[in-house]
């Protein structure tokens, strides 16, 4: 999803402390793009996030702030394990970062300020990435790891369940195989209402796979339960 303009509001404080949001350098490593900024910060961005968040004039209608549907990743063979960045270069005159992709689509262009605003939220500091790669594997399972819910059993390489929601007028209706129909417990041919999918609130927030599984099951079933959510004590 392309972040809206006001999504950067919480990051205005970050910009106030940043000496310069300009790009210093960029290099692609397949599924990731490593970007250094003039303020000294260095981050690793996921290639698919960059492709999805691009808001240049080829991907977003500036005047309306609307995405061009023919350019969204799901309609351009981007949501696959093979998708990767092939090059990343900063123009010395304009300061614009241009990233090219391996699926022969048009490149994506970014301004330094835009990516620096979101870097602390969506990207991994390169110091953390280096530490993760140098940390020896530990075969001992921690208590927190053992208590974490298992990854959802969803084939994320198949995104056909998203086709009805692309926004195109010729988009197909959801396929019967992608829907689960519910009825009262014991109704023949219908799943019991007591079997609606359930998710743990903290796990959904922490695990991208859990987020996608929640979206998948919500589209499939129409209803999901999220357990362990925070209580709103003011309303």
């Amino acid at each position: 999803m392309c972040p809206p303009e006001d999504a950067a509001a919480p990051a205005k404080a970050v910009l106030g402390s940043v000496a310069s949001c300009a790009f210093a350098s960029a290099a692609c490593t397949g599924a990731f793009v490593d970007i250094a900024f003039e303020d000294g910060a260095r981050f690793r961005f996921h290639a698919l996030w960059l492709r999805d968040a691009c808001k240049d004039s080829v991907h977003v209608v500036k005047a309306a702030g609307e995405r061009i549907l023919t350019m969204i990743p799901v309609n351009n063979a981007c949501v696959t394990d093979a998708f990767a960045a092939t090059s990343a270069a900063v123009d010395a005159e304009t300061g614009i970062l241009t990233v090219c992709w391996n699926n022969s689509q048009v490149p994506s262009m970014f301004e330094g300020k835009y990516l620096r605003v979101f870097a602390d939220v969506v990207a991994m500091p390169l110091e953390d990435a280096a530490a993760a790669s140098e940390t020896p594997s530990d075969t001992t399972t921690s208590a927190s790891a053992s208590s974490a819910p298992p990854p959802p059993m969803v084939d994320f390489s198949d995104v056909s369940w998203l086709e009805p929601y692309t926004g195109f007028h010729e988009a197909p209706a959801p396929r019967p195989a992608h829907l689960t129909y519910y009825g009262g417990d014991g109704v023949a041919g219908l799943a019991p209402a007591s079997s609606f999918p359930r998710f743990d609130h903290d796990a959904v927030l922490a695990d991208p796979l859990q987020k996608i599984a929640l979206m998948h099951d919500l589209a499939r079933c129409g209803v999901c339960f999220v357990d362990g959510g925070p209580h709103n004590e003011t309303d």
Side-chain angles (χ1 to χ4, degrees), residues 56-61 66-72 76 168:
D56 64 23
S57 59
V58 177
H59 298 83
V60 174
V61 179
E66 297 178 348
R67 305 189 66 172
I68 300 173
L69 294 178
T70 55
M71 295 304 299
I72 63 177
N76 287 273
F168 290 109

Side-chain angles (χ1 to χ4, degrees), residues 13-37:
V14 174
L15 286 178
S17 63
V18 174
S20 174
C21 296
F23 296 116
S25 64
C28 61
T29 58
F32 303 95
V33 178
D34 295 343
I35 299 175
F37 296 88

Side-chain angles (χ1 to χ4, degrees), residues 136-170:
S137 59
D138 186 356
T139 56
T140 303
T141 302
S142 65
S144 60
S146 61
S147 61
M153 300 301 292
V154 178
D155 180 12
F156 295 119
S157 63
D158 177 15
V159 295
S160 58
W161 60 276
L162 285 172
E163 291 177 354
Y165 314 104
T166 57
F168 290 109
H169 68 276
E170 70 272 16

Side-chain angles (χ1 to χ4, degrees), residues 125-210:
L126 280 180
E127 293 75 12
D128 293 348
S133 63
E134 295 173 2
T135 301
S137 59
D138 186 356
T139 56
T140 303
T141 302
S142 65
S144 60
S146 61
S147 61
M153 300 301 292
V154 178
D155 180 12
F156 295 119
S157 63
D158 177 15
V159 295
S160 58
W161 60 276
L162 285 172
E163 291 177 354
Y165 314 104
T166 57
F168 290 109
H169 68 276
E170 70 272 16
R175 302 175 187 174
H178 291 164
L179 298 174
T180 299
Y181 295 95
Y182 288 84
D185 292 353
V187 177
L190 298 177
S194 58
S195 65
F196 283 124
R198 307 190 77 96
F199 292 83
D200 178 75
H201 174 269
D202 293 343
V204 169
L205 291 182
D207 187 354
L209 291 182
Q210 291 278 342

